[in-house]
Amino acid sequence: MKLTLTALFFFILSNNLLAQETTISGKITGDGGNPVPFATVYIKNTTKGVSANSEGEYSLNLKPGQYEVQYKAVGYKQESRKIELRTSQSINIVLKTELYELKEVAIHAGAEDPAYAIIRKAIKNRKTYLNEVNAYTCEVYIKGLQKLLSAPKKFLGVDVQKIARENGLDSNRRGIIYLSESQSKYTFMRPNLVHEELISSKVSGSNRAFSFNRASDLKVNFYENMQDWEGLSPRPLVSPIADNALFYYRYKWMGISIENGETINKILVTPRREHDPCFSGYIYILEDSWRLQGVGLYLTKKNNINFVDTVKVNQEFFPVNAKAWMPASIKFEFTGGLFGFKFGGYFISLYKDYDIDPKLDKKQFAEVLRITKGVNKKDSVYWQNERPIPLTEEEKTDYQKKAVLAAKRESKPYLDSLDRVNNKFNPGKLLLGGYSHRNRYDKEYYNFDPILTSILYNTVEGFALNYGASFTKQIDSVNNRYLSVYGKARYGFSNHLFNANGGVSFPAGQFMLNVSGGSDVLDMNNRSPITSFTNTIHSLLARQNYQKLYQKQYASFNASTRISGGWQASASAEWSNRKWLANSSDFSIFHPANRPDFTSNNPFSPNQDIPVFPENQAFKLSVRTTYNFSNKYETYPTGKRYIPSEYPTIGLTFTKAVKNVFGSDADYNLVAADIAKDNISLGMYGKTSFSVAAGKFLNAKNIYYTDYRHFSGNEALFYTAGSSKFLLLDYYNFSTGNQYLEAHLEHNFSGFILNKIPLIRKLKLQEIVDVNYLTTPAFKNYTELGVGLQTNIGLRVMYGTSYNNLGGKVNSAIRIGVSF
């Protein structure tokens, strides 16, 4: 019996010892004694590994046993250590700078560099390695860090010193401003199906937020011809081994080295033209197989990148079986500066536990991302065991300091004290920026419009005040849904007309409901092509009263929902009383000689105030549905977010005005359809957007001008570019109550063609081509063709011509407009 118990004791003890994990840790330095940041540490013939931190420190958890550990970093000679691990060990490693030998190839003056032959072989094999693995799963760890390197004490009157102190920075306004870690399970299937599930997330200074780290955002594949880094670069970036790479790059062979029995070619790549969307740096290509072993590339402002001054990307590959190599790590480093602020940081992702023959179902890829509740609640013990990159002392301190700040910021006393400061009433603030009263703890918000922007002028009301306020409260924190109550009051000081309206929107099950009503003064063109501010400026300074107005008393109800995936629908009912208004004011600051009088409030009779329509009532029912051919979505603790499709969105609308219901005079049906798609990528040739809409009024027994189909024209100096807008079209004369066809095409070359001109490069202008077309029975057609240069503020030159039903030219103009 004792023998049995003793055997059982040793059996349990041996199993515990086998299950117990030990640790290899240490520091990796170069042959000069300096740390080698982010060197990789892997167990040979496995995909299990970690990375050193920015100070060269590493830590790898392993079960007791025998291992061969490999230490490597781009630009250094690999080191290996065979160890028998029984207890935790400290192993410091010195990596020697890799020497690339040139002796095997003789390079003659005037001859082609040997790098070109290697690159041609790599290009030839590009598609093979691009499609080498049809599907895989892996685990990804991502760490992101951003630091403020310097900042002014004050900026635009804001006390930067105080904000820096409140956010844990030092007295010189330097330190970590963002630190996060995440772990994900990543699944991929060709050609572009992705599913990612966040396992854990940690953000310094926030107990509620999820990190912005996503494996799909850091996915880099230089076997693709183009790297489309949306936001960072306005143009796709050409891979050094793209099919047409020889047109964009110069190459220089730097020599060979031997690693794990493989011969590695080091090749220097530089753009042929300074401002092309190309990388500079080194790529490492394996002899015989001609596949990538690693890259160390960078971009600068010369490559027309946004937000930052430099970006470095380092990627390492390792074999996951006898045939396939997969990314082991990807690191982005960046630096930048603006207005005295300088910053820098990095994002690094480590990959492990690859399965390149998983059993997958395409249906599971409808969900692109999954973040469940609780993934950001892992404790410090969990992260100590799972973190593959050790924290530096600075990072440990940042987590500790900001954990205290986060707890404080989420407390009711702190939120109340913050609200007390922000909720202090200031007449100047109300005048210029509006006033907001917040209760952050209860998630209640009161907003009052700025008084200055609520003052307007038009010839119907004279000077008028159109003032609004709203109340918002979160009533569903799980699905992030809100109750909103809003209202406006409007008074014309010339015609003494008072109007008030308001409404409430709220969730009800799967529906979002909105109930509103009251009275208002509105543009006869329900597309509101000209803003009240623009009309005010033109009226007071140039005596051009473009806006034509009427009074509307109404009550309306709207319900909208998502039926399934990309299929959405809405329905509405509205009763309204419409009344035309006459001009009541003739005031302007300036009186241009060529414009002695304002036009009337009738766009068809500019010299006489004749009503456009009689006072009438309408009861209208409307149903609209759209479908964007996408069933993909992301799941968050607050609900689902559906992802737009790569295909166009189609829409169908049916509106019926019902006669004699609540005294309704209007009697017609309108059937309309539309199709549109923005930002269709054409690679190096920029992006295209288009929209087409058509409709027809049926059984139009009684229809009024405000029910017509209107269009977004423009006659003012200021023009806001956008889909379904015309630069030169009259606001009112071409509206129709019969049928219409409207089409728009915009192509943005993103500086690809014009970036050869120094001034264009400096200003980062974009070449844009617009083609807009409209036809209604009011005239034969109207076509605009525009070619212009535009930035956020720039110039656009357009040419437009309209024709009447008989084919005679009605309007032809060339206009240079200011675009915002």
Side-chain angles (χ1 to χ4, degrees):
M1 184 67 174
K2 288 183 179 180
L3 183 62
T4 304
L5 289 174
T6 302
L8 181 61
F9 171 78
F10 278 104
F11 175 77
I12 294 172
L13 179 62
S14 62
N15 272 285
N16 286 336
L17 288 173
L18 288 172
Q20 181 182 359
E21 284 198 341
T22 56
T23 301
I24 305 172
S25 61
K27 190 166 186 176
I28 304 171
T29 58
D31 43 17
N34 295 320
V36 179
F38 305 109
T40 54
V41 183
Y42 275 90
I43 304 302
K44 187 176 181 180
N45 298 325
T46 74
T47 64
K48 182 174 180 61
V50 295
S51 170
N53 62 21
S54 59
E55 296 177 356
E57 300 166 337
Y58 75 95
S59 179
L60 176 60
N61 296 328
L62 294 168
K63 293 179 181 179
Q66 293 182 343
Y67 300 97
E68 182 173 350
V69 187
Q70 296 179 331
Y71 302 83
K72 53 194 297 189
V74 174
Y76 293 88
K77 187 175 180 62
Q78 177 183 288
E79 290 287 334
S80 295
R81 294 289 187 275
K82 291 183 178 180
I83 61 171
E84 184 170 343
L85 192 62
R86 296 180 180 228
T87 59
S88 295
Q89 296 184 27
S90 177
I91 302 176
N92 295 325
I93 296 295
V94 177
L95 296 181
K96 296 181 179 180
T97 302
E98 182 67 271
L99 299 177
Y100 289 84
E101 301 179 7
L102 294 170
K103 61 184 180 181
E104 293 189 9
V105 176
I107 304 177
H108 302 287
E112 183 181 66
D113 192 285
Y116 286 88
I118 297 170
I119 290 296
R120 289 188 182 96
K121 292 174 182 176
I123 292 173
K124 183 179 179 180
N125 287 276
R126 181 190 66 81
K127 284 187 178 180
T128 299
Y129 296 133
L130 176 64
N131 301 305
E132 184 175 42
V133 176
N134 289 321
Y136 66 85
T137 64
C138 66
E139 289 190 13
V140 186
Y141 167 85
I142 301 176
K143 181 179 180 180
L145 180 130
Q146 297 175 34
K147 297 177 70 173
L148 191 63
L149 305 177
S150 66
K153 288 186 178 181
K154 289 191 174 182
F155 179 72
L156 296 178
V158 177
D159 190 342
V160 178
Q161 182 80 28
K162 179 182 177 182
I163 295 174
R165 185 172 60 252
E166 291 174 347
N167 286 275
L169 304 186
D170 65 22
S171 58
N172 294 315
R173 303 166 300 285
R174 294 179 301 193
I176 296 173
I177 54 178
Y178 176 76
L179 171 61
S180 70
E181 299 173 274
S182 68
Q183 292 176 298
S184 298
K185 180 75 173 181
Y186 187 77
T187 305
F188 174 82
M189 178 185 286
R190 268 191 204 288
N192 56 2
L193 299 178
V194 169
H195 173 75
E196 182 175 355
E197 182 173 0
L198 197 65
I199 299 170
S200 57
S201 173
K202 185 177 179 69
V203 180
S204 181
S206 177
N207 297 326
R208 297 183 179 182
F210 300 98
S211 71
F212 296 109
N213 308 341
R214 291 183 56 174
S216 54
D217 290 338
L218 293 182
K219 185 174 176 289
V220 176
N221 191 344
F222 285 99
Y223 291 116
E224 298 276 1
N225 281 323
M226 301 288 182
Q227 309 301 306
D228 194 358
W229 294 355
E230 190 75 32
L232 179 64
S233 173
R235 302 171 292 173
L237 300 160
V238 182
S239 168
I241 58 169
D243 290 341
N244 60 346
L246 293 173
F247 174 77
Y248 288 97
Y249 287 98
R250 290 189 175 92
Y251 303 91
K252 184 177 180 180
W253 187 64
M254 306 302 292
I256 61 169
S257 67
I258 308 297
E259 185 178 293
N260 298 326
E262 298 275 5
T263 300
I264 303 169
N265 294 278
K266 181 180 181 180
I267 296 175
L268 173 67
V269 301
T270 54
R272 286 187 177 272
R273 291 160 294 275
E274 190 177 37
H275 295 278
D276 274 356
C278 298
F279 299 91
S280 299
Y282 297 96
I283 59 175
Y284 302 84
I285 297 178
L286 296 176
E287 189 82 13
D288 297 328
S289 63
W290 314 113
R291 68 163 73 241
L292 291 172
Q293 187 262 355
V295 302
L297 301 170
Y298 66 89
L299 299 165
T300 69
K301 281 291 186 183
K302 291 181 179 179
N303 305 112
N304 203 27
I305 57 177
N306 300 321
F307 307 118
V308 294
D309 296 330
T310 61
V311 175
K312 297 179 182 177
V313 55
N314 289 276
Q315 185 175 30
E316 293 185 55
F317 297 83
F318 61 178
V320 296
N321 61 20
K323 295 182 178 180
W325 288 56
M326 299 295 290
S329 65
I330 300 172
K331 182 182 65 171
F332 286 88
E333 291 182 88
F334 53 88
T335 58
L338 187 67
F339 302 126
F341 294 87
K342 293 184 179 180
F343 58 89
Y346 65 82
F347 282 90
I348 183 170
S349 57
L350 303 179
Y351 302 81
K352 69 175 185 178
D353 297 339
Y354 276 101
D355 180 359
I356 58 172
D357 190 24
K359 305 300 180 185
L360 302 175
D361 184 350
K362 285 188 176 182
K363 293 181 180 179
Q364 75 184 73
F365 292 99
E367 184 182 59
V368 176
L369 175 68
R370 184 173 186 81
I371 301 177
T372 55
K373 190 175 182 180
V375 300
N376 59 346
K377 304 299 182 184
K378 309 290 186 181
D379 59 21
S380 58
V381 175
Y382 171 89
W383 283 105
Q384 186 68 29
N385 293 328
E386 296 295 329
R387 179 183 288 123
I389 303 178
L391 296 177
T392 64
E393 289 302 319
E394 182 185 26
E395 292 164 355
K396 291 177 184 177
T397 302
D398 189 75
Y399 270 134
Q400 292 167 359
K401 287 171 58 178
K402 290 182 180 175
V404 176
L405 290 174
K408 177 183 176 182
R409 287 170 180 162
E410 293 175 5
S411 67
K412 189 176 188 303
Y414 175 82
L415 293 175
D416 289 345
S417 66
L418 196 65
D419 287 339
R420 279 194 296 272
V421 174
N422 292 325
N423 292 341
K424 286 183 179 179
F425 180 77
N426 185 316
K429 186 177 179 181
L430 177 64
L431 180 67
L432 299 174
Y435 173 70
S436 295
H437 184 93
R438 306 172 187 173
N439 185 330
R440 301 169 196 261
Y441 191 80
D442 292 329
K443 296 182 174 58
E444 295 179 350
Y445 309 91
Y446 298 85
N447 293 289
F448 298 86
D449 290 349
I451 293 177
L452 193 61
T453 58
S454 299
I455 299 173
L456 54 93
Y457 177 81
N458 59 69
T459 54
V460 171
E461 300 171 288
F463 282 99
L465 181 67
N466 187 24
Y467 193 76
S470 65
F471 166 76
T472 304
K473 180 178 176 60
Q474 187 180 49
I475 59 175
D476 182 355
S477 59
V478 175
N479 297 303
N480 197 32
R481 300 203 293 180
Y482 292 81
L483 164 71
S484 179
V485 181
Y486 54 91
K488 276 196 172 186
R490 180 167 180 153
Y491 182 74
F493 290 93
S494 180
N495 66 354
H496 307 293
L497 190 64
F498 176 79
N499 292 275
N501 61 83
V504 56
S505 63
F506 56 94
Q510 298 299 314
F511 290 88
M512 194 67 192
L513 306 181
N514 184 79
V515 180
S516 63
S519 63
D520 203 355
V521 175
L522 301 173
D523 196 325
M524 292 185 200
N525 183 330
N526 57 25
R527 303 282 286 274
S528 299
I530 181 170
T531 67
S532 295
F533 174 77
T534 302
N535 185 70
T536 297
I537 296 299
H538 275 269
S539 296
L540 292 176
L541 303 184
R543 210 166 171 79
Q544 294 173 307
N545 57 325
Y546 288 123
Q547 209 170 37
K548 307 304 175 185
L549 305 168
Y550 76 105
Q551 184 187 41
K552 176 180 175 181
Q553 299 167 320
Y554 68 99
S556 70
F557 172 81
N558 179 272
S560 60
T561 188
R562 183 179 298 275
I563 298 174
S564 175
W567 185 13
Q568 299 183 71
S570 64
S572 64
E574 179 188 85
W575 174 89
S576 61
N577 182 84
R578 290 87 63 92
K579 182 180 180 181
W580 178 82
L581 301 173
N583 282 346
S584 66
S585 176
D586 192 47
F587 173 78
S588 66
I589 298 174
F590 299 107
H591 294 72
N594 62 333
R595 255 181 251 115
D597 296 314
F598 282 114
T599 60
S600 73
N601 195 43
N602 185 329
F604 310 105
S605 180
N607 299 318
Q608 299 181 65
D609 261 336
I610 300 173
V612 179
F613 54 86
E615 184 172 355
N616 65 87
Q617 293 79 43
F619 179 72
K620 294 190 288 188
L621 301 173
S622 183
V623 179
R624 177 168 172 79
T625 183
T626 61
Y627 187 68
N628 70 359
F629 298 93
S630 174
N631 65 339
K632 294 185 178 181
Y633 61 92
E634 298 171 341
T635 301
Y636 297 90
T638 55
K640 291 181 180 180
R641 186 187 79 87
Y642 284 84
I643 299 173
S645 170
E646 60 183 359
Y647 300 105
T649 297
I650 59 173
L652 295 173
T653 305
F654 176 74
T655 301
K656 182 174 182 61
V658 187
K659 189 175 177 59
N660 296 327
V661 175
F662 302 116
S664 173
D665 301 307
D667 186 8
Y668 67 87
N669 299 327
L670 170 62
V671 179
D674 53 85
I675 181 170
K677 178 63 179 173
D678 292 330
N679 296 323
I680 304 170
S681 178
L682 299 180
M684 293 297 293
Y685 298 99
K687 293 183 177 180
T688 287
S689 300
F690 78 91
S691 64
V692 179
K696 184 174 179 59
F697 287 85
L698 305 173
N699 301 319
K701 297 176 182 177
N702 202 13
I703 183 170
Y704 298 92
Y705 182 74
T706 53
D707 299 314
Y708 279 25
R709 168 66 179 195
H710 302 279
F711 306 97
S712 293
N714 182 69
E715 296 176 87
L717 172 64
F718 300 100
Y719 171 67
T720 302
S723 61
S724 303
K725 290 188 175 182
F726 296 88
L727 177 64
L728 300 173
L729 187 69
D730 184 280
Y731 294 123
Y732 305 98
N733 283 324
F734 298 141
S735 301
T736 182
N738 191 337
Q739 60 190 23
Y740 66 92
L741 172 64
E742 180 182 6
H744 304 263
L745 174 67
E746 178 181 276
H747 187 76
N748 188 332
F749 284 101
S750 302
F752 170 67
I753 291 179
L754 298 176
N755 67 354
K756 306 297 188 297
I757 305 171
L759 177 63
I760 301 304
R761 289 199 305 262
K762 185 176 180 180
L763 297 178
K764 287 192 175 181
L765 296 175
Q766 298 176 339
E767 184 177 30
I768 296 176
V769 174
D770 276 320
V771 180
N772 301 318
Y773 175 78
L774 173 66
T775 179
T776 77
F779 56 96
K780 186 176 181 181
N781 65 49
Y782 177 92
T783 304
E784 285 183 350
L785 172 63
V787 179
L789 304 179
Q790 180 182 330
T791 90
N792 289 335
I793 301 177
L795 293 179
R796 179 185 290 260
V797 182
M798 302 287 286
Y799 174 77
T801 303
S802 62
Y803 297 87
N804 60 23
N805 282 320
L806 301 176
K809 186 180 292 186
V810 174
N811 175 46
S812 181
I814 296 178
R815 174 172 294 176
I816 298 178
V818 180
S819 299
F820 288 89

